[in-house]
Amino acid sequence: MTDEALYDVVIVGGGPAGLAAAIYAGRAGLKTVVIERGAFGGNIFQTAEIANYPGGVVDESGAEFSARLTAHADAFGAERVSGEVTMLNLIGPVKDAVVGGNAYQGRTMILATGSVPVKLGVPGEDAFSGLGVSYCAVCDGPFFTGKDVFVVGGGDSAVEEAMYLAKFARKVTIIHRRDEFRAARSIVERAERVDNIEFLLETIVTELGGDGLLTRVTVESVETGKSRVIKAAEGDNFGVFIFAGMRPVSELFGNELDTERGYIVTDERMRTNIPGVFAAGDIRKKLLRQVVTATSDGAVAAIEAEKYMIESGAGCGEK
């Protein structure tokens, strides 16, 4: 392969982490390509409003934010490719990402494939995503100020997020399929002391519905099998926050990368165990998965990719 056809940085994933990496890499004069299988912007593309990004635009939707981020990457010369990566080759001085019949080869690679929420798989869940159904309390909790909210799940995250939502909601009902929580007892005891949190145990959600916004939640007793429909008050709507876990998009990594439960293990410089391969955003093992931390990861990964090329003598190609 000629230097002209070789990228300095191949970024797999076009969410906030991948696009931030593209901005920093492009601004540094690195020949960069970003590959995304869905909408550029990633999960944030579907968010109704981004209210907690520092310096963000008031009332800006996830789609609008994604468009600005994408345009910023474009302005610094990063190429964008839409398509599904079917194979990665990470070992060696040249890394490959195969999309269809094309192999995008780079001196370095940044993996920013992200993670996706585990869904309940019930009717209405997809239709009301962003219209009452959410997978992120920090992102969407304030939109349900003074409203009734349901939290589905029984782990630490579900109970902790329920306590966060209780700051905004009129009432929070935690729905859990078992008679005991998987969450630590200390966390459950804290939730039990919150006046506007209630518990609906041995219960599952079977359907979500409404007219425009989410106004109906159908639940079923695990013990008896009986169903009932919980309806919002006239003119009101519900929020349903689903915390059934997150799934890292890590199917392509195989056994080459060090991972923990599918999440890539990196150091603070976003370096993986493979030289020249970096990871950024929600695919990393990390504490907080938010847009602000994803963009930070992407910036660090791009800077470190440039350092790697200089230190390894790989050099940088001309754009």
Side-chain angles (χ1 to χ4, degrees):
M1 165 173 277
T2 64
D3 284 348
E4 289 75 15
L6 183 65
Y7 292 94
D8 294 316
V9 186
V10 174
I11 302 170
V12 182
L19 290 172
I23 290 168
Y24 274 75
R27 190 170 186 269
L30 305 181
K31 184 177 180 180
T32 304
V33 62
V34 188
I35 305 169
E36 168 58 44
R37 65 178 182 176
F40 281 88
N43 291 338
I44 202 68
F45 187 88
Q46 300 179 25
T47 301
E49 182 181 344
I50 300 176
N52 58 350
Y53 188 81
V57 177
V58 176
D59 296 329
E60 184 175 50
S61 70
E64 292 167 333
F65 175 84
S66 298
R68 284 200 301 118
L69 200 57
T70 302
H72 199 168
D74 290 348
F76 282 120
E79 296 179 35
R80 288 189 288 119
V81 172
S82 295
E84 182 90 24
V85 175
T86 55
M87 185 171 64
L88 293 175
N89 297 311
L90 305 177
I91 305 298
V94 175
K95 326 296 181 182
D96 296 345
V98 178
V99 181
N102 298 315
Y104 295 87
Q105 298 186 310
R107 295 179 171 92
T108 64
M109 182 173 288
I110 298 174
L111 300 173
T113 52
S115 62
V116 292
V118 176
K119 296 186 176 183
L120 297 179
V122 300
E125 182 176 8
D126 290 338
F128 288 94
S129 180
L131 299 172
V133 173
S134 176
Y135 304 88
C136 178
V138 175
C139 306
D140 298 329
F143 301 133
F144 296 93
T145 299
K147 298 181 181 294
D148 287 349
V149 163
F150 299 87
V151 169
V152 184
D156 289 353
S157 294
V159 180
E160 288 174 340
E161 299 290 14
M163 287 188 281
Y164 175 81
L165 290 166
K167 300 175 183 179
F168 308 99
R170 186 183 73 84
K171 182 177 71 172
V172 178
T173 302
I174 304 178
I175 301 174
H176 183 43
R177 66 184 305 127
R178 297 182 177 86
D179 60 353
E180 293 184 355
F181 288 99
R182 290 181 288 106
R185 184 60 202 166
S186 60
I187 297 174
V188 176
E189 288 175 350
R190 284 168 48 209
E192 290 173 339
R193 293 193 291 269
V194 179
D195 291 338
N196 61 334
I197 291 182
E198 296 183 357
F199 302 90
L200 190 57
L201 302 182
E202 296 185 278
T203 302
I204 59 174
V205 174
T206 58
E207 187 173 358
L208 301 166
D211 184 12
L213 296 175
L214 181 65
T215 57
R216 299 191 309 274
V217 179
T218 303
V219 297
E220 179 183 299
S221 168
V222 172
E223 185 178 9
T224 66
K226 291 184 178 180
S227 295
R228 64 187 176 99
V229 179
I230 304 172
K231 295 183 179 180
E234 185 71 27
D236 205 354
N237 62 288
F238 288 143
V240 171
F241 289 80
I242 298 169
F243 298 105
M246 296 293 291
R247 179 181 64 80
V249 182
S250 56
E251 295 85 355
L252 293 170
F253 302 157
N255 298 320
E256 297 173 341
L257 284 170
D258 286 345
T259 60
E260 186 172 313
R261 292 183 298 130
Y263 292 99
I264 301 173
V265 177
T266 74
D267 61 13
E268 65 180 8
R269 294 168 62 180
M270 306 302 137
R271 297 180 299 185
T272 72
N273 61 298
I274 300 177
V277 177
F278 304 83
D282 288 4
I283 192 58
R284 286 182 61 229
K285 179 192 173 187
K286 59 192 296 187
L287 178 63
L288 181 64
R289 292 184 170 88
Q290 290 281 284
V291 178
V292 67
T293 60
T295 54
S296 172
D297 286 356
V300 173
I303 290 171
E304 290 299 324
E306 182 181 21
K307 287 182 181 178
Y308 168 81
M309 285 187 287
I310 294 171
E311 292 170 0
S312 67
C316 301
E318 295 294 328
K319 288 195 297 180

